[in-house]
Amino acid sequence: MLLRLRLVLSSLAGATLLLLLLCLGAQNLDQRPRLWLGRGSTAPLPAGFLVGVALVAGVISGGCAAALLLPARRLEP
């Protein structure tokens, strides 16, 4: 259980650092596409920011999936 918690927390910490670096480095102001979400759309965002947010979401979901798929450790009597 402790290993799973450590894995989830480390993936969240890594994703937070990636998001911080992404916000600092998203300075590409020439291309600002909108992200269409069903009925509405987001504000115009830099293309690099959209790709970075997808990367951060992948890091978080990958860390959580790895923690859930860890085999259970059996205690021997």
Side-chain angles (χ1 to χ4, degrees):
M1 183 69 180
L2 185 61
L3 180 63
R4 291 179 187 200
L5 181 63
R6 194 170 43 178
L7 185 59
V8 168
L9 289 178
S10 66
S11 69
L12 286 175
T16 303
L17 287 175
L18 278 174
L19 189 62
L20 177 69
L21 289 174
L22 173 68
C23 290
L24 290 176
Q27 299 300 320
N28 132 0
L29 300 175
D30 296 339
Q31 300 172 355
R32 296 179 72 97
R34 290 180 181 261
L35 187 61
W36 294 98
L37 302 169
R39 290 182 154 183
S41 65
T42 63
L45 297 169
F49 186 76
L50 294 176
V51 171
V53 168
L55 179 72
V56 169
V59 167
I60 292 172
S61 65
C64 291
L68 287 174
L69 293 174
L70 276 177
R73 185 181 293 176
R74 295 184 183 194
L75 298 175
E76 295 183 20

